[in-house]
Amino acid sequence: GVLGTMRLEQRLDEAKIQTVWAQILDPTLVAHAQPAGFAKGTLFVHVDSSVWLHEIVRYRRSEILERLQTTLGRTVVQKIAFRLG
Protein backbone atom coordinates (compact mmCIF):
# COMPACT_ATOMS: atom_id res chain seq x y z
CA GLY A 1 0.00 0.00 0.00
CA VAL A 2 2.50 2.62 1.12
CA LEU A 3 5.03 1.67 -1.56
CA GLY A 4 2.30 1.78 -4.17
CA THR A 5 1.28 5.25 -3.04
CA MET A 6 4.88 6.46 -3.13
CA ARG A 7 5.35 5.07 -6.64
CA LEU A 8 2.15 6.73 -7.80
CA GLU A 9 3.27 10.08 -6.42
CA GLN A 10 6.65 9.71 -8.13
CA ARG A 11 4.96 8.87 -11.45
CA LEU A 12 2.69 11.91 -11.12
CA ASP A 13 5.70 14.14 -10.41
CA GLU A 14 7.52 12.70 -13.45
CA ALA A 15 4.49 13.41 -15.63
CA LYS A 16 4.28 16.99 -14.33
CA ILE A 17 7.98 17.54 -15.06
CA GLN A 18 7.62 16.22 -18.61
CA THR A 19 4.61 18.48 -19.16
CA VAL A 20 6.16 21.73 -17.90
CA TRP A 21 9.73 21.17 -19.15
CA ALA A 22 9.09 22.53 -22.66
CA GLN A 23 6.73 25.23 -21.39
CA ILE A 24 9.05 26.92 -18.90
CA LEU A 25 12.45 26.57 -20.60
CA ASP A 26 14.08 28.07 -23.67
CA PRO A 27 13.17 26.00 -26.78
CA THR A 28 16.84 25.86 -27.81
CA LEU A 29 17.75 24.29 -24.47
CA VAL A 30 14.80 21.90 -24.67
CA ALA A 31 16.06 20.73 -28.07
CA HIS A 32 19.29 19.55 -26.43
CA ALA A 33 18.23 18.43 -22.94
CA GLN A 34 15.35 16.19 -21.88
CA PRO A 35 14.24 14.78 -18.53
CA ALA A 36 15.17 11.09 -18.36
CA GLY A 37 14.21 10.04 -14.86
CA PHE A 38 13.24 11.16 -11.40
CA ALA A 39 14.00 9.65 -7.99
CA LYS A 40 13.96 10.96 -4.41
CA GLY A 41 13.82 14.61 -5.41
CA THR A 42 16.56 14.35 -8.05
CA LEU A 43 15.72 14.97 -11.70
CA PHE A 44 18.03 13.21 -14.18
CA VAL A 45 18.42 15.02 -17.49
CA HIS A 46 20.07 13.67 -20.64
CA VAL A 47 21.96 16.23 -22.72
CA ASP A 48 22.82 15.45 -26.35
CA SER A 49 26.34 16.93 -26.56
CA SER A 50 29.27 17.73 -24.32
CA VAL A 51 29.13 21.37 -25.43
CA TRP A 52 25.54 21.72 -24.22
CA LEU A 53 26.28 19.75 -21.08
CA HIS A 54 29.03 22.23 -20.20
CA GLU A 55 26.81 25.22 -21.05
CA ILE A 56 23.93 23.97 -18.93
CA VAL A 57 25.96 22.87 -15.92
CA ARG A 58 28.06 26.01 -15.87
CA TYR A 59 25.54 28.71 -16.74
CA ARG A 60 21.96 27.45 -16.61
CA ARG A 61 21.64 24.85 -13.84
CA SER A 62 20.40 27.33 -11.23
CA GLU A 63 17.92 28.93 -13.60
CA ILE A 64 16.45 25.54 -14.61
CA LEU A 65 16.14 24.41 -10.98
CA GLU A 66 14.57 27.70 -9.94
CA ARG A 67 11.99 27.59 -12.73
CA LEU A 68 11.05 24.00 -11.94
CA GLN A 69 10.75 24.76 -8.24
CA THR A 70 8.66 27.85 -8.90
CA THR A 71 6.32 25.88 -11.17
CA LEU A 72 6.12 22.56 -9.30
CA GLY A 73 6.97 23.51 -5.73
CA ARG A 74 10.28 23.38 -3.89
CA THR A 75 9.76 19.88 -2.54
CA VAL A 76 9.30 18.14 -5.90
CA VAL A 77 12.63 18.80 -7.66
CA GLN A 78 15.38 19.42 -5.14
CA LYS A 79 18.39 18.66 -7.33
CA ILE A 80 19.20 18.13 -11.01
CA ALA A 81 21.81 15.72 -12.36
CA PHE A 82 22.82 16.24 -15.98
CA ARG A 83 24.30 13.40 -18.02
CA LEU A 84 25.59 13.06 -21.53
CA GLY A 85 23.37 10.73 -23.47
Side-chain angles (χ1 to χ4, degrees):
V2 173
L3 290 177
T5 301
M6 289 171 55
R7 287 245 184 222
L8 179 59
E9 286 179 22
Q10 181 177 329
R11 294 278 186 218
L12 289 172
D13 290 340
E14 284 181 38
K16 289 178 195 173
I17 292 166
Q18 290 288 345
T19 301
V20 301
W21 183 261
Q23 296 171 354
I24 64 172
L25 298 175
D26 177 6
T28 306
L29 186 140
V30 170
H32 297 282
Q34 288 295 314
F38 182 72
K40 298 179 184 173
T42 300
L43 174 63
F44 298 94
V45 178
H46 285 172
V47 183
D48 67 359
S49 75
S50 58
V51 173
W52 272 99
L53 180 63
H54 179 74
E55 164 81 16
I56 291 168
V57 169
R58 187 152 191 190
Y59 301 109
R60 297 187 181 196
R61 177 192 300 261
S62 298
E63 172 195 349
I64 295 169
L65 182 59
E66 184 179 313
R67 286 182 183 209
L68 286 169
Q69 288 178 337
T70 299
T71 304
L72 301 170
R74 295 225 177 266
T75 59
V76 177
V77 178
Q78 299 165 10
K79 188 169 102 175
I80 303 176
F82 296 96
R83 297 178 180 164
L84 193 57

